[in-house]
Amino acid sequence: MLSLLFCGLLACGGADQATAPAEPASPVLALAAPSPASLVWPLAEGERSTAVAAAALDNSLDSALGTHGRVVLTGLPTVPTRARPWPDTSPAGRRFHVDSQLGNDKLDGRTVDRPWRSLARLTTAALEPGDRIVLACGSRWRESLRLGASGTAARPLVIEAAAGCSQPPTIDGSVDLPASAWVRQAGAVYVAALAPAPLQLFSSAGVWVEAHHPNRGANGPGFFTMAADGNLASANGRDVSTRLGTGDDLLLPPAARLGSGSHVRVRSAAFVIDDLPIAGVDGHTLTLASPSTYPLKAGWGYLLTGQAWMVDSAGEWFHDAAGGRLLAHDLGGSAEPRLPTSASVLATGIDLQGRAHVVVDGLLVRKVGTGALLQRSQAVQVRNSRFEDLADRGIDAAESSAVVIESNRIERSGTDAVFAGGIGAGAAIGLTVRNNHIRSSGVLMAGAAVLSLPRRSYGAILAGQAATVSDNLIVDSGYIGIRVFERSVVERNVVVGSCSVLDDCGAIYTLGAGNDSRIVGNLVLHVRGNTAGKPSSNQASQAQGIYLDDDAAGVRVERNTVIGADHGLQLHDASANQVLDNRLYGNRVAQLWMQETRLQADGSGTTRGNRIEGNQFAPLHARSRSLLLETHQSSAASFGSFDRNRYFDAAPGRIGSVGTAVGGRDFTAAQWFATPGLASTGAADPQGSASSGDGHASYTVAGANLVPNGNLAAGAAGWSHWNATAPHGQLHYAACDASPCLRYTGGAPSGLVSSPNFSLEQGNWYRLAVDIATDAEDQPLQLVVRRGGGGSNGYELLAERDLSFIAGTRWQRYSVVYQATRSVRSNDDVTGDLGARFDIEGVAAGRSLSLARLEIMSITPSLAPRISLALVNAGDASVDLACPLADDQARLCTQLADLADPAGSSDARRVTWPVRLAPRSAVLLRAFEAASPDSDGDGISDWQDSCPGSAHRQVVNAAGCALEQR
């Protein structure tokens, strides 16, 4: 068993990823990762072994989950479990043997000592249902496997490796390129004679890259930038472009031309790379022989291929078809030239198009275009086989029915490892993809860098309709990891490193009305996203974990774990889906994104009626949140129902954001639980809970109220108001419900009221509490802490998060924790600063509010409540894990609790080690500060709580007192 300790997953710079203020240094625990172990992927016999950094197959993990998050991944399988041997169904026991070394096609092939030699012999053989074709161990063919017959449901034709093979029978579609074939042309460029056009080139260093311009950068291929929009044309009912506008950044070497054979690879959308032939060049305009998928836009990227002069960088190659010549650039680093040793030229390894009831078992197919072509086939099975170094698809099963792909390894495919149509070809029906290992589908990676040229792909597994995709391991895919259409089941898969070339992407993706699919028990890790070739104004990646898109309805998303995506789960214009008992941890922007971008014909929303229950949301990045809700309507109240969800909010503050046509706002857990209409018609999550209210305080209050006259004991002294034009607002001191208050009426066009000035220290944490009532229900109030000017100083914001909330006609106590982004001293003689101040702004003319008891208190956050762990078992068997924290961190092993469990006493929730993990499962743990019990769960530790026994979910002041506990 391979057990790895990860500090986190790759941070890809997703949206809303502004640099966060540094957290207070901790003398106890920084949770820095140990040196990563090595993960060695078993390769085909004779290939070199490659060690890959264990940190989720990437070298950039230490910063991804923030200082206090950790992922422990265990059980990652190295080879798929072998499917059981196919039973012999031939009453006559007819077997035909094929041996590439000892065979003779003139023999009858019926015994092991009288085998056929070629695979071509199978197309003319009088095969019958139930026959078995046995391929000799160690045999090697440079031809495609085809059959001239089919089997039946009861008696399939079986093509299998001989029993006990250590060297499997192999279809190798390459030709050798010995060192003697190469002649130096100029500099580091060498030439060899090769008539057929190669699909790929190989050496002991791996796959070579087709020559291109510009050359690659540090993390992947470089792009030029389109300087102008392409023309707008129409093709097949779509808007497209047939011309591309280059810019001044396109510089060609002297005498270089974009002649016949030139191609452009252009990013026409976040999720599309088009490869288009160039028909002509006129100044800064490229005329395209084929239209783009989408209209081309200025600022998006492109690169060029198809010319000999582009062979100007180590590891590049070009084929001159007219001259029958192959050019390659020496890899360097050695006294002897390091050049390609083989070239793939065979288009297809196994071709069973239109065949029925055939079983392929135990073969190795390598260095071909498409590994297995199963289009329009019926009930074909491909089992226990390996497909490696494929220029195009691994297995193409478009328009097939009832095909089974089981227990195979598909590694380094140029595009999709398993393609079942539905895009550009008819969709397969009833495909089963089970227990396969898929690596490098549509991309070749070296750590965080993309080695391969960007290319369009659709999914490591694009499975069609009524598909079953289960128990697969997928590592590194150029685009989607698993994509299914309606009535499909996706369960118990492990998907790592999706969206590595393209984005607007999901590791698991589905769409469409009447979908009714199930996505259950999957592990999704490290969804990258790639912004290369996107415009500078659109550099946020769009890499989601599980993505329900465009009218997806009836989908059940249950018991999945998503770690390290931009958004853990996205519902885009999706309705009547069920999202149940999922674990969403450390995703960079939001754990759940519900997005509505269009309306139904009747004006109703397209994101509505979803059921979100029993999930665990654990954001770890400073700018991340649990929930992100967005609509073009005035309200998101129809999005669905929420209940029994758990929110990890280590420093009580924003757990989510909602944006509507009338504005946006952040909300805390207390607001989420109490405010109707945020995403459902009533208050959300009646049985939901947040970790900040689970019986231990996450901070201690230090010192007194920083705001002079915050309790209004001196009337309105120090308070002020402002608006731009007459009529001016009014601020009055009054008695409100037996306590002093200020009543403010806004002036034109709107106004603000400001507190007396106070001091803040950058990086320190503060707790704000204020009592407010307004003259109307559901009034959004913009609460800000900002610099108050003075000298040459401005009015910039001083909190790292939004503090706004929704008020009503009844008095409410509102509280939020924030971190200061700058140091500001009240009445500073050196800087002239007047100090920080608290503002309520945007009060509309004629509207009024009442304010009482503002307090801003310095707090000392406890480290433990900010610490979390994700324990992940990617294997097929249960495992017992010991506490992974060591040395001075080990004390926290007794202060860890299951995030899913908010009930009972703290002792009842403590984790007992070892922790047992079921197969393909995860557990999220959080630490708590045992020395700071908070019996009433109001966030104030018992020893500082002047009002013990506050009701559940009541908002209190720094003394632990709710509004009615004066």
Side-chain angles (χ1 to χ4, degrees):
M1 177 176 293
L2 186 63
S3 180
L4 308 177
L5 183 61
F6 290 179
C7 178
L9 306 175
L10 174 66
C12 294
D16 198 21
Q17 293 298 295
T19 302
E23 294 187 351
S26 167
V28 180
L29 178 64
L31 280 186
S35 299
S38 290
L39 173 60
V40 179
W41 286 92
L43 304 179
E45 284 80 7
E47 289 193 69
R48 63 193 179 89
S49 179
T50 302
V52 183
L57 313 183
D58 204 290
N59 296 322
S60 306
L61 308 180
D62 290 350
S63 63
L65 293 182
T67 308
H68 307 300
R70 179 78 63 86
V71 179
V72 180
L73 173 62
T74 189
L76 194 68
T78 55
V79 293
T81 304
R82 184 174 177 82
R84 289 175 294 178
W86 192 259
D88 192 343
T89 59
S90 172
R94 292 206 338 163
R95 281 174 167 75
F96 295 90
H97 298 266
V98 188
D99 189 318
S100 68
Q101 300 176 45
L102 304 179
N104 185 329
D105 285 352
K106 294 181 180 180
L107 302 176
D108 62 14
R110 290 297 309 276
T111 60
V112 71
D113 59 349
R114 295 178 58 82
W116 292 328
R117 185 180 187 88
S118 72
L119 298 179
R121 182 66 178 83
L122 299 176
T123 62
T124 59
L127 298 174
E128 300 175 357
D131 287 346
R132 302 178 86 92
I133 298 142
V134 181
L135 305 183
C137 300
S139 283
R140 183 181 181 186
W141 295 273
R142 298 183 186 268
E143 58 179 314
S144 301
L145 188 157
R146 295 182 174 91
L147 295 180
S150 294
T152 65
R155 301 177 64 197
L157 280 174
V158 178
I159 307 166
E160 62 184 356
C165 281
S166 59
Q167 295 288 331
T170 300
I171 297 172
D172 187 327
S174 68
V175 295
D176 294 334
L177 296 171
S180 60
W182 293 99
V183 176
R184 182 175 175 179
Q185 175 175 278
V189 177
Y190 289 73
V191 63
L194 183 66
L199 303 172
Q200 289 181 306
L201 298 186
F202 306 90
S203 72
S204 60
V207 182
W208 285 52
V209 179
E210 183 181 355
H212 56 282
H213 185 61
N215 288 320
R216 60 176 290 112
N219 292 317
F223 285 87
F224 295 117
T225 300
M226 288 183 282
D229 291 352
N231 66 314
L232 191 61
S234 180
N236 300 318
R238 300 176 61 97
D239 289 338
V240 300
S241 293
T242 56
R243 292 193 297 273
L244 182 154
T246 67
D248 293 336
D249 60 341
L250 175 56
L251 299 175
L252 303 186
R257 298 289 183 269
L258 294 177
S260 175
S262 297
H263 278 236
V264 59
R265 294 197 188 185
V266 57
R267 195 159 189 174
S268 59
F271 53 94
V272 173
I273 294 284
D274 286 325
D275 188 351
L276 307 172
I278 298 174
V281 181
D282 183 6
H284 285 289
T285 299
L286 305 182
T287 300
L288 309 175
S290 300
S292 59
T293 303
Y294 294 97
L296 302 181
K297 297 293 184 182
W300 291 75
Y302 67 96
L303 57 85
L304 303 167
T305 63
Q307 293 297 313
W309 57 262
M310 297 176 184
V311 184
D312 60 355
S313 184
E316 293 186 335
W317 66 271
F318 169 78
H319 183 252
D320 174 10
R325 302 184 315 148
L326 182 64
L327 281 71
H329 193 294
D330 178 18
L331 282 175
S334 173
E336 296 296 324
R338 299 169 61 205
L339 296 165
T341 55
S342 65
S344 61
V345 295
L346 186 65
T348 305
I350 300 171
D351 186 347
L352 298 177
Q353 292 183 90
R355 295 300 171 206
H357 303 292
V358 176
V359 177
V360 176
D361 197 330
L363 276 62
L364 169 60
V365 179
R366 63 198 306 258
K367 297 183 179 179
V368 300
T370 295
L373 197 53
L374 311 182
Q375 292 181 357
R376 301 180 304 284
S377 66
Q378 178 184 356
V380 168
Q381 299 201 24
V382 179
R383 316 163 74 245
N384 303 321
S385 296
R386 299 210 308 267
F387 299 86
E388 299 170 353
D389 293 320
L390 312 164
D392 202 344
R393 291 169 178 153
I395 298 175
D396 186 340
E399 300 182 66
S400 67
S401 63
V403 163
V404 176
I405 300 170
E406 181 178 11
S407 298
N408 304 286
R409 288 167 57 185
I410 307 174
E411 299 187 352
R412 301 180 297 281
S413 58
T415 59
D416 311 308
V418 176
F419 177 84
I423 302 174
I429 305 294
L431 176 71
T432 296
V433 186
R434 179 172 55 229
N435 188 36
N436 302 279
H437 283 202
I438 294 172
R439 177 183 173 222
S440 300
S441 168
V443 67
L444 294 175
M445 304 288 301
V450 176
L451 298 180
S452 50
L453 287 187
R455 189 174 175 187
R456 186 171 189 177
S457 60
Y458 298 106
I461 299 175
L462 176 62
Q465 300 174 354
T468 299
V469 182
S470 62
D471 299 293
N472 301 284
L473 172 66
I474 300 170
V475 177
D476 291 342
S477 56
Y479 189 42
I480 292 166
I482 299 172
R483 178 170 182 170
V484 294
F485 297 103
E486 59 267 23
R487 306 185 312 282
S488 295
V489 175
V490 180
E491 58 184 358
R492 299 186 306 277
N493 301 282
V494 179
V495 186
V496 183
S498 299
C499 310
S500 297
V501 173
L502 303 170
D503 60 15
D504 196 0
C505 167
I508 300 175
Y509 177 95
T510 192
L511 80 168
N515 190 288
D516 296 332
S517 294
R518 293 193 299 116
I519 302 172
V520 179
N522 301 281
L523 303 178
V524 174
L525 310 172
H526 190 26
V527 191
R528 292 188 177 99
N530 191 326
T531 63
K534 292 175 67 174
S536 57
S537 60
N538 186 14
Q539 282 295 294
S541 63
Q542 303 158 265
Q544 327 308 4
I546 299 174
Y547 190 172
L548 309 187
D549 198 8
D550 289 348
D551 301 308
V555 182
R556 189 179 183 95
V557 181
E558 186 173 11
R559 299 194 310 278
N560 303 283
T561 299
V562 181
I563 301 173
D566 284 327
H567 301 87
L569 173 60
Q570 180 180 2
L571 275 65
H572 172 233
D573 293 332
S575 299
N577 302 291
Q578 299 185 68
V579 178
L580 311 173
D581 301 317
N582 300 283
R583 292 159 297 276
L584 307 172
Y585 180 83
N587 298 294
R588 296 179 290 273
V589 181
Q591 313 316 299
L592 172 63
W593 183 17
M594 302 181 72
Q595 182 190 32
E596 185 171 72
T597 58
R598 56 186 173 83
L599 302 179
Q600 302 279 16
D602 62 2
S604 62
T606 49
T607 299
R608 65 192 189 282
N610 298 288
R611 180 181 164 210
I612 316 295
E613 293 188 10
N615 304 285
Q616 300 170 51
F617 302 115
L620 302 182
H621 299 80
R623 298 290 181 181
S624 184
R625 69 215 87 182
S626 291
L627 305 174
L628 177 58
L629 316 168
E630 294 181 328
T631 177
H632 288 176
Q633 299 193 91
S634 60
S635 170
S638 63
F639 274 14
S641 63
F642 296 75
D643 200 10
R644 299 187 299 103
N645 298 294
R646 283 280 288 160
Y647 302 89
F648 179 67
D649 61 340
R654 176 183 74 172
I655 68 161
S657 304
V658 59
T660 69
V662 296
R665 58 159 299 191
D666 291 346
F667 51 84
T668 65
Q671 292 171 311
W672 172 247
F673 297 138
T675 308
L678 289 178
S680 58
T681 53
D685 267 314
Q687 299 180 78
S689 58
S691 62
S692 59
D694 274 357
H696 289 90
S698 59
Y699 55 82
T700 56
V701 179
N705 189 359
L706 299 177
V707 182
N709 195 30
N711 62 2
L712 304 178
W719 289 82
S720 61
H721 63 97
W722 178 89
N723 61 276
T725 63
H728 295 288
Q730 301 293 320
L731 182 66
H732 299 288
Y733 177 76
C736 300
D737 294 341
S739 66
C741 72
L742 295 177
R743 286 181 176 159
Y744 174 69
T745 302
S750 65
L752 63 82
V753 58
S754 300
S755 76
N757 296 114
F758 52 91
S759 299
L760 293 176
E761 294 292 332
Q762 180 178 356
N764 285 359
W765 288 83
Y766 299 90
R767 185 185 194 277
L768 183 154
V770 63
D771 299 345
I772 292 180
T774 59
D775 63 345
E777 294 297 338
D778 300 324
Q779 291 297 298
L781 294 182
Q782 300 172 46
L783 310 185
V784 297
V785 175
R786 58 161 46 100
R787 192 194 297 269
S792 60
N793 298 291
Y795 298 88
E796 66 268 32
L797 302 183
L798 300 176
E800 101 293 2
R801 65 190 67 192
D802 181 59
L803 309 179
S804 302
F805 87 117
I806 303 293
T809 56
R810 298 179 59 186
W811 280 95
Q812 297 180 61
R813 177 158 289 170
Y814 170 70
S815 178
V816 65
V817 168
Y818 70 91
Q819 190 177 29
T821 57
R822 294 176 183 265
S823 294
V824 176
R825 300 185 185 280
S826 178
N827 299 315
D828 193 313
D829 292 335
V830 176
T831 66
D833 259 320
L834 295 178
R837 75 185 196 203
F838 168 79
D839 286 356
I840 304 176
E841 61 182 23
V843 182
R847 304 314 300 256
S848 64
L849 63 84
S850 299
L851 173 149
R853 289 181 294 267
L854 168 67
E855 62 179 27
I856 296 179
M857 314 285 283
S858 179
I859 60 173
T860 303
S862 299
L863 176 67
R866 289 179 284 151
I867 292 170
S868 61
L869 296 174
L871 309 181
V872 183
N873 177 17
D876 301 319
S878 295
V879 295
D880 292 326
L881 288 181
C883 180
L885 305 180
D887 302 329
D888 60 338
Q889 306 169 6
R891 70 172 186 86
L892 289 172
C893 292
T894 62
Q895 294 175 226
L896 290 166
D898 192 331
L899 179 62
D901 182 9
S905 69
S906 300
D907 288 339
R909 292 198 307 273
R910 292 176 194 243
V911 168
T912 301
W913 300 97
V915 171
R916 169 150 292 194
L917 291 180
R920 302 284 167 99
S921 72
V923 173
L924 304 185
L925 304 179
R926 64 172 185 86
F928 55 87
E929 184 52 73
S932 298
D934 173 21
S935 301
D936 55 8
D938 60 7
I940 305 299
S941 59
D942 289 349
W943 67 275
Q944 291 188 311
D945 197 335
S946 300
C947 297
S950 300
H952 182 54
R953 291 183 177 169
Q954 279 191 305
V955 181
V956 300
N957 60 14
C961 298
L963 192 63
E964 63 273 16
Q965 293 177 307
R966 298 173 182 169

